[in-house]
Amino acid sequence: MSSTDVAQQHRAFVEARGLFRSFGRTPALRGADVAVDNGEILAVMGPSGSGKSTFLHCLAGIFKPDQGEVWFDGRRIDDLSEGARTQLRRRAFGFVFQFGQLVPELTSADNVALPLLLNRESRKKAYRQAGSWLERLGLGGLEGRRSGELSGGQAQRVALARALVVSPKVIFADEPTGSLDSLTGEQVMNLLVDSARAEGTTVVLVTHDARIAAFADREVVVRDGVVSDYSRAGTGR
Amino acid sequence: MSVPNTLLGLLEREPSHGYDLKREYDSYFGRGRPLPFGQVYSTLARLARDKLVAPGEAEPGEGPDRKRYTITAAGRQELETWLANPIEPEPHLQSVLFAKVVLALILGRPAGRYIDAQRAAHLRRMRELRERRRRGGPLDALLADYAMFHLEADLRWIELTEARLATLKEALTR
Ligand SMILES: Nc1ncnc2c1ncn2[C@@H]1O[C@H](COP(=O)(O)OP(=O)(O)OP(=O)(O)O)[C@@H](O)[C@H]1O
Ligand SMILES: [Mg+2]
């Protein structure tokens, strides 16, 4: 098969095909598929324990699936080496999780600049970009505050700035508002969605919360390690 | 939305003609569903009959809009009672969804698939409301939020029902 055939077969920006993944004898994914377009915001819903987080980790190249393929931007990524996947994650992907992703002893600015420093940007540029994202997310003035001393909503906005600062192609978010009250959660989601739309960033968002899922263009539901796509099936789209 | 009580409320602010009342009603509460003139005048007539509002002297001119209406003491009392008493918590869609699920299970039809279709429809509606909320002002947001929280309640019920389908089926087909 020529490379153009391959590219045409995998037209979606982020695509998973037939993913299987077990933890010991617990199957978490049993043939999970998804196709996400460039610039699309996709919500991944489903009951607790259905495999949402495992699926997200496989899509983002954090976990290797036992079986199946993950493609990103026309390239197969599940069979890349650990080092190559780490590079890809640092440069092309941004991550927002429910909590625990900021280094509490570091300031907001340090936390946001960190991914750029890991990508070998100059300190000056890294901190300038960090400052500008913090400002954009309404955190101007909190650059020097240690992140352990931020409120939950502020911390999630710092985490968002940290995800956005590398100008990622895709943001993977796992229950990014899970620890926030409704109003604060909405504010964080508005910032995430507005920034992603402005930058043309693709978003894969895991949430069990329908109000949060409604920020997305479309939703899929994971059940027992399999993905169903009713938003496409049900409407004749 | 209770039109008579809402008109009473608007009249408590200041006496008004039917036409101005309609305009005010539409701007606060109409949200794309304006109040027909006929309903304004018939409602005012009923409120006047019940002595909750008092029509002023007919002013010179043509048409039904020649009177200015003022709220009465009884009207204020009625308004206060309506505002202060909570409304009956409505069971809403629940009975229809319930009937669908039970029927599907009894008939051996794919209840899970119906539930999935319902979830998708609820989420589509949720997205429309989210969009309306984004485009509109704070009043639109307030209304949209109300509808969204109701949808959310339905969705929680949908999730729970789905998780219990096997147990339900067993109970119903025993
Ligand atoms: N590191 C792990 N070790 C062992 N089992 C795991 C691990 N991670 C996930 N699992 C199991 O895999 C299955 C799917 O888990 P996963 O975390 O993907 O679910 P989830 O849909 O994200 O759930 P939740 O909504 O509760 O976060 C579950 O049965 C879980 O117990
Ligand atoms: Mg999870």
Side-chain angles (χ1 to χ4, degrees):
Chain A
M1 193 186 294
S2 77
S3 62
T4 49
D5 287 337
V6 171
Q8 274 169 1
Q9 263 202 313
H10 298 274
R11 233 171 294 178
F13 197 54
V14 178
E15 188 161 337
R17 297 188 159 192
L19 297 189
F20 283 77
R21 167 78 201 219
S22 295
F23 296 96
R25 292 159 92 201
T26 312
L29 297 180
R30 318 188 219 203
D33 306 298
V34 84
V36 193
D37 291 335
N38 195 356
E40 190 177 26
I41 301 182
L42 177 79
V44 178
M45 304 184 72
S48 182
S50 59
K52 302 181 295 293
S53 296
T54 308
F55 189 49
L56 191 86
H57 283 67
C58 286
L59 283 181
I62 298 173
F63 288 167
K64 246 178 169 7
D66 301 330
Q67 228 187 91
E69 301 178 1
V70 180
W71 290 71
F72 162 65
D73 201 8
R75 194 148 75 108
R76 188 166 170 186
I77 63 166
D78 60 279
D79 58 358
L80 294 177
S81 70
E82 185 63 48
R85 276 186 291 135
T86 304
Q87 276 307 309
L88 179 72
R89 285 200 302 272
R90 282 193 186 156
R91 295 187 180 277
F93 299 161
F95 295 91
V96 189
F97 298 119
Q98 186 169 348
F99 32 52
Q101 55 197 318
L102 299 176
V103 186
E105 295 79 21
L106 296 183
T107 66
S108 307
D110 294 335
N111 268 293
V112 178
L114 198 59
L116 290 175
L117 296 173
L118 287 173
N119 286 348
R120 309 226 162 98
E121 284 291 352
S122 71
R123 276 187 76 77
K124 195 169 156 209
K125 187 169 175 204
Y127 278 86
R128 197 176 59 229
Q129 308 237 98
S132 118
W133 269 108
L134 286 168
E135 183 76 42
R136 205 165 143 182
L137 298 185
L139 294 163
L142 292 180
E143 295 85 354
R145 176 87 65 89
R146 289 204 296 172
S147 55
E149 293 161 4
L150 295 169
S151 75
Q154 289 167 340
Q156 277 315 70
R157 280 185 282 159
V158 173
L160 197 53
R162 190 166 105 158
L164 286 160
V165 77
V166 294
S167 303
K169 296 270 185 280
V170 187
I171 288 183
F172 293 96
D174 195 347
E175 301 280 4
T177 61
S179 58
L180 306 176
D181 65 64
S182 310
L183 194 63
T184 315
E186 297 250 325
Q187 286 165 351
V188 168
M189 278 310 298
N190 274 320
L191 289 168
L192 169 56
V193 166
D194 289 350
S195 312
R197 298 238 190 263
E199 308 282 311
T201 314
T202 304
V203 179
V204 182
L205 162 75
V206 168
T207 181
H208 67 273
D209 183 339
R211 285 175 71 83
I212 299 300
F215 278 94
D217 300 315
R218 173 168 81 88
E219 77 282 349
V220 294
V221 182
V222 181
R223 194 170 303 120
D224 296 330
V226 180
V227 183
S228 351
D229 186 348
Y230 292 97
S231 56
R232 272 186 179 162
T235 57
R237 261 207 278 172
Chain B
M1 176 78 54
S2 162
V3 174
N5 286 303
T6 309
L7 293 186
L8 269 184
L10 291 174
L11 283 173
E12 195 187 46
R13 295 206 314 185
E14 53 178 354
S16 178
H17 289 85
Y19 177 75
D20 294 327
L21 267 183
K22 175 200 153 40
R23 275 212 337 225
E24 270 199 294
Y25 181 97
D26 288 349
S27 79
Y28 284 119
F29 309 108
R31 305 283 122 194
R33 280 171 56 198
L35 197 57
F37 273 113
Q39 193 180 350
V40 177
Y41 293 112
S42 63
T43 305
L44 284 171
R46 255 180 289 121
L47 290 172
R49 180 199 66 200
D50 297 340
K51 307 258 187 291
L52 300 174
V53 302
E57 292 284 293
E59 294 161 17
E62 296 286 317
D65 196 36
R66 291 159 54 210
K67 289 178 189 161
R68 215 155 75 112
Y69 290 84
T70 309
I71 192 168
T72 63
R76 284 178 210 279
Q77 186 54 53
E78 174 74 17
L79 177 66
E80 171 57 25
T81 306
W82 178 66
L83 288 174
N85 282 298
I87 54 173
E88 193 67 26
E90 279 179 71
H92 255 300
L93 273 180
Q94 175 235 324
S95 53
V96 185
L97 292 179
F98 175 79
K100 281 190 175 196
V101 170
V102 172
L103 265 180
L105 289 173
I106 292 174
L107 300 175
R109 284 159 176 269
R113 235 171 47 217
Y114 301 157
I115 289 181
D116 283 329
Q118 191 63 55
R119 179 202 289 107
H122 266 63
L123 279 167
R124 263 200 307 282
R125 179 91 187 102
M126 192 86 115
R127 265 197 289 278
E128 287 165 19
L129 289 163
R130 162 91 48 223
E131 189 55 23
R132 184 180 309 171
R133 200 179 180 290
R134 199 174 65 80
R135 287 160 184 266
L139 281 182
D140 297 284
L142 202 59
L143 265 183
D145 275 340
Y146 185 83
M148 287 172 81
F149 278 119
H150 276 259
L151 285 177
E152 187 182 3
D154 282 353
L155 279 159
R156 285 193 184 185
W157 182 85
I158 285 169
E159 298 304 333
L160 209 65
T161 305
E162 180 169 53
R164 285 177 180 155
L165 275 181
T167 321
L168 284 169
K169 184 164 182 70
E170 206 180 310
L172 282 167
T173 52
R174 223 184 353 231

